[in-house]
Amino acid sequence: LEVLVGTSYQEVIDECGGFVQAPAKVISGGPMMGVAMLRTDIPVMKGTSGVLCLSKEAAQTPEPTACIRCGRCASVCPIHLQPFLLADYAQHRRWEDCDELHALDCIECGSCSFICPAKRTLVSSIRVGKRQVQAERKKKAVKKNG
């Protein structure tokens, strides 16, 4: 559908036939880079590319297992990062290591999480690492200039 900016997500969903059952999750955008929404009464924006409504069964994420160091995540990373290491460093609060491995270059495309046979939530961990790297850089800048 093409809709006007400002149209509510609920109106878009209703135009497509509405919900067959109450959704477990509604995502603005696609399955890889989309963002979960708490409500559907908010408007679509210029950059809105889609809405994904998932049933309880479809929204369930498998339980992650330990990384087997297969390297699949690194092989699909369009930025040529090492997602398995970035996620591990973030989980262990090793912010300097995240920075050295260029965590801020991650575009959060989700390819690494999608391909991971261990079903690890790599993007979520990397996102935390990115925020902390930015915070650490700000602290250093304040100390340097302050």
Side-chain angles (χ1 to χ4, degrees):
L1 299 176
E2 284 188 28
V3 299
L4 296 173
V5 170
T7 304
S8 76
Y9 279 89
Q10 188 60 53
E11 289 178 79
V12 174
I13 293 164
D14 291 343
E15 180 64 26
C16 294
F19 296 122
V20 175
Q21 60 186 12
K25 188 179 280 189
V26 177
I27 299 173
S28 175
M32 300 285 276
M33 294 180 68
V35 178
M37 299 172 43
L38 297 176
R39 304 181 347 232
T40 58
D41 62 343
I42 59 174
V44 299
M45 298 179 289
K46 183 179 178 182
T48 301
S49 61
V51 60
L52 183 61
C53 305
L54 301 174
S55 66
K56 185 177 180 180
E57 297 80 34
Q60 286 186 346
T61 54
E63 193 66 34
T65 59
C67 177
I68 59 173
R69 302 275 196 228
C70 66
R72 289 183 190 172
C73 58
S75 70
V76 298
C77 179
I79 310 300
H80 306 292
L81 300 175
Q82 297 179 30
F84 65 98
L85 285 177
L86 286 169
D88 186 59
Y89 290 158
Q91 289 171 343
H92 291 95
R93 306 173 63 87
R94 293 172 55 180
W95 313 131
E96 285 185 21
D97 291 328
C98 285
D99 198 1
E100 285 179 23
L101 285 182
H102 308 284
L104 295 181
D105 291 346
C106 175
I107 60 172
E108 301 178 25
C109 67
S111 295
C112 57
S113 294
F114 181 79
I115 199 75
C116 180
K119 303 301 180 201
R120 298 180 68 220
T121 55
L122 298 166
V123 175
S124 299
S125 297
I126 294 170
R127 193 175 290 138
V128 169
K130 287 173 64 173
R131 279 195 300 261
Q132 290 301 319
V133 166
Q134 289 172 325
E136 294 295 320
R137 285 185 178 184
K138 284 181 185 177
K139 283 182 195 175
K140 287 178 184 177
V142 168
K143 284 182 182 178
K144 183 179 179 181
N145 298 326

